[in-house]
Amino acid sequence: MSLNISDILKRLHINDINPAFSTGSFWGDSENNETRTIHSPVDGKAIAAVQVAGEAEYQQVIAKASEAFVKWRTVPAPKRGEVVRQLGDALRSHKQDLGVLVSYEMGKSLQEGYGEVQEMIDICDLAVGQSRQLFGFTMHSERPEHRMYEQYHPLGIVGIISAFNFPVAVWSWNAALAWICGDVCVWKPSEKTPLTAIACQRIIQAVFEKNNVPEGVSCLLIGDRAVGELMANDTRVPLVSATGSTRMGKAVGAAVGARLGRSLLELGGNNAIIVSQFADLDTVLIGAVFGAVGTAGQRCTSTRRLIIHESIYEQFKQKLVKAYGQVRIGDPLDENNHMGPLIDRDAVKLYLESIEKCKAEGGKFVVEGGVLEGQGYTSGCYVKPCIAEVENHYPIVQHETFAPILYLVKYTTLEEAIALQNGVPQGLSSAIMTTNLREAEQFLSYAGSDCGIANVNIGTSGAEIGGAFGGEKETGGGRESGSDAWKVYMRRQTNTINYSTKLPLAQGIKFDL
């Protein structure tokens, strides 16, 4: 390995055994003394151990966060933004070390690890500007000498449940905006990737202490599903933002909805690229291959399906097969490699089961999958990206498989292609590759893609901070990151001020005493 992981862990203050929770400068241990060792999917080696929080630790964190909210909400929003600006600078100074840890703990390529930290920096930059733009609206009243307007106030505690595939970036999308809105955050990272979360909390701690930010504005809980369930059912947590599988999201949404709380859900994707007969196939090839094998197919925006026009189907299939033969798989810290491992052996098992299901349902593999063995693959988490010709209605194709399996589907008309694209339960990301303006506009129209993200001549994978990120249908309907996503983290209030000496009623109602 070309990078010294031990030195990086020391610089990021990752210990041999790490505490179960943090409220900022305070780090606490678990009462039950349960620990979990985190192994890297890159080489199978133990990185460090973490203590696991339970209900007692959860209650301590929520109590401290509740206290902090009362103070933090009184800080002017631009001042809160200044703290987030400094956090962005701190992340810049730690970008290399944190990017390496993301790559080593999760298994994505080093460039993607750096890119994930850059997303954190970018959302801090966006949040700084947004802290001066938490605007409401003024409207005219029907009553004389009255003024009406709307304004936004902080919600309170924002619970954040993040997934292993983006162990820090998606958390930061929520936290940076929540903080400038005056909220406090309680973060439960994935139990598969807690070390990057601990490193981020250490970085936050230094910035917050320097600015006298109240203890409890940024809290961390290292726990399993039980901690997430506590959060989902807790009326003291008005908003729960959860990223993960549709199954998990349905459980969180039901629990939060039962208490009439708010949930922001970013769930599964089953993303397709429509490849038109008018497409630039060289451009398509880059977008399709990166979309399918980037992060070893473990992005919610990974390309799962290619819907290809029948006139170019065979030609493009051969291009794909040739390109897949050039994909380099191995240690993600080696920047010459395109693809690293899956997150763990359970993911490998699901990958193999999906291949067998696809074959049983009639899928024909033009690039065979399998597990890689031998030198460099000792963790047992490295697999081959594969390609199968299928029909869109196959059950396995309707299901999101978090692995580098790409399905090819043939189409005749654009209307048919759009119907195929939309014909899955998920609705996150979508794309069309075409140089035909009419096709592009039809794809983006009300009769086109039903996804939250619809692209033309770029792939499904990857998104810029400035736009709202999220999807429809079983993807959950949430919106994070840019645009007006900040409103999710605030409560909306309509105000009417009467500055006259009378009390006229709306709708002309008379009520005289």
Side-chain angles (χ1 to χ4, degrees):
M1 192 172 297
S2 59
L3 298 167
N4 192 317
I5 298 299
S6 178
D7 289 344
I8 288 171
L9 294 176
K10 289 178 182 177
R11 288 196 293 269
L12 293 174
H13 304 287
I14 303 296
N15 305 314
D16 291 337
I17 300 178
N18 296 273
F21 70 97
S22 169
T23 57
S25 60
F26 178 77
W27 292 75
D29 297 327
S30 173
E31 284 188 3
N32 59 19
N33 293 319
E34 180 186 351
T35 61
R36 182 173 298 149
T37 301
I38 307 302
H39 294 82
S40 170
V42 175
D43 53 19
K45 294 180 180 178
I47 310 174
V50 294
Q51 295 190 25
V52 180
E55 184 170 3
E57 292 72 42
Y58 174 83
Q59 297 298 343
Q60 288 186 61
V61 165
I62 294 297
K64 183 57 68 173
S66 298
E67 292 176 14
F69 173 60
V70 175
K71 301 175 183 177
W72 182 240
R73 67 185 177 183
T74 68
V75 177
K79 298 293 185 183
R80 298 191 296 251
E82 167 59 19
V83 176
V84 173
R85 185 194 66 77
Q86 293 179 35
L87 175 59
D89 285 346
L91 291 169
R92 284 180 174 90
S93 67
H94 291 87
K95 179 176 177 179
Q96 183 173 11
D97 284 349
L98 193 53
V100 171
L101 181 57
V102 168
S103 178
Y104 188 60
E105 185 180 26
M106 185 267 153
K108 63 175 59 177
S109 74
L110 186 56
Q111 285 300 315
E112 291 182 79
Y114 291 150
E116 182 160 350
V117 181
Q118 187 61 49
E119 283 195 53
M120 301 172 71
I121 296 167
D122 291 345
I123 193 64
C124 286
D125 287 349
L126 183 144
V128 173
Q130 191 67 70
S131 69
R132 294 181 180 269
Q133 294 290 311
L134 303 176
F135 50 81
F137 298 96
T138 299
M139 61 282 292
H140 291 279
S141 173
E142 69 183 57
R143 290 166 285 185
E145 299 181 336
H146 282 59
R147 181 165 69 90
M148 292 180 64
Y149 68 96
E150 291 181 347
Q151 62 179 336
Y152 289 83
H153 294 300
L155 270 178
I157 298 174
V158 174
I160 304 171
I161 301 172
S162 61
F164 75 85
N165 59 332
F166 280 87
V168 291
V170 177
W171 158 77
S172 72
W173 294 0
N174 287 273
L177 292 181
W179 285 329
I180 61 104
C181 288
D183 299 321
V184 300
C185 296
V186 176
W187 180 17
K188 191 203 88 64
S190 169
E191 54 266 37
K192 297 182 179 182
T193 53
L195 301 179
T196 44
I198 292 170
C200 285
Q201 182 74 351
R202 297 286 192 189
I203 294 168
I204 294 164
Q205 175 186 341
V207 174
F208 280 19
E209 286 180 354
K210 178 182 175 183
N211 288 273
N212 297 313
V213 173
E215 185 84 15
V217 170
S218 176
C219 297
L220 178 67
L221 277 163
I222 306 300
D224 52 23
R225 183 183 300 177
V227 170
E229 290 174 350
L230 288 169
M231 190 182 293
N233 287 285
D234 194 338
T235 57
R236 295 169 294 178
V237 184
L239 172 64
V240 177
S241 176
T243 304
S245 67
T246 297
R247 176 193 56 77
M248 179 276 292
K250 287 181 176 179
V252 170
V256 176
R259 59 177 174 87
L260 298 182
R262 301 187 193 182
S263 57
L264 194 169
L265 303 175
E266 295 290 356
L267 310 175
N270 194 345
N271 316 294
I273 299 175
I274 296 173
V275 184
S276 164
Q277 71 268 42
F278 303 112
D280 177 341
L281 296 188
D282 291 335
T283 300
V284 179
L285 193 65
I286 296 171
V289 175
F290 175 75
V293 309
T295 324
Q298 295 173 116
R299 291 186 177 212
C300 52
T301 55
S302 290
T303 305
R304 310 285 177 204
R305 298 173 293 144
L306 290 182
I307 302 169
I308 308 169
H309 192 270
E310 59 185 5
S311 66
I312 59 166
Y313 182 87
E314 291 298 330
Q315 175 190 0
F316 189 67
K317 181 176 73 174
Q318 293 308 314
K319 279 180 171 286
L320 269 177
V321 171
K322 183 178 179 181
Y324 266 53
Q326 299 171 351
V327 173
R328 294 185 295 273
I329 308 165
D331 183 348
L333 299 183
D334 181 346
E335 296 189 59
N336 292 314
N337 290 326
H338 297 113
M339 188 181 113
L342 294 178
I343 184 64
D344 55 26
R345 294 192 179 192
D346 287 340
V348 174
K349 181 181 177 182
L350 290 173
Y351 157 83
L352 294 173
E353 290 175 351
S354 296
I355 290 174
E356 292 307 311
K357 288 178 182 178
C358 183
K359 290 179 178 178
E361 291 168 11
K364 176 185 176 184
F365 279 81
V366 295
V367 175
E368 291 287 343
V371 180
L372 292 168
E373 299 176 342
Q375 187 175 3
Y377 304 125
T378 54
S379 69
C381 298
Y382 291 87
V383 302
K384 301 175 185 177
C386 53
I387 304 173
E389 296 179 286
V390 299
E391 296 292 337
N392 201 64
H393 64 268
Y394 290 175
I396 192 62
V397 178
Q398 295 284 308
H399 174 75
E400 180 194 37
T401 300
F402 239 46
I405 304 174
L406 181 62
Y407 300 119
L408 306 185
V409 181
K410 191 182 297 184
Y411 81 91
T412 303
T413 67
L414 181 60
E415 290 75 14
E416 178 191 2
I418 291 173
L420 290 167
Q421 137 70 40
N422 294 343
V424 292
Q426 309 83 1
L428 179 52
S429 187
S430 60
I432 187 170
M433 297 289 194
T434 182
T435 58
N436 184 301
L437 178 62
R438 290 179 176 177
E439 286 193 331
E441 291 293 340
Q442 185 172 342
F443 180 73
L444 299 178
S445 75
Y446 59 85
S449 170
D450 65 0
C451 294
I453 299 169
N455 298 325
V456 176
N457 292 328
I458 63 171
T460 63
S461 188
E464 293 187 32
I465 287 298
F469 180 91
E472 302 299 325
K473 301 188 294 188
E474 287 194 356
T475 302
R479 291 297 185 275
E480 295 172 324
S481 185
S483 186
D484 65 349
W486 61 271
K487 293 180 179 179
V488 176
Y489 307 94
M490 306 196 83
R491 59 183 177 87
R492 185 173 183 171
Q493 185 180 78
T494 300
N495 308 109
T496 305
I497 300 171
N498 176 9
Y499 57 93
S500 75
T501 59
K502 299 178 181 180
L503 187 61
L505 301 178
Q507 293 85 46
I509 296 173
K510 302 295 183 181
F511 187 78
D512 297 324
L513 294 177

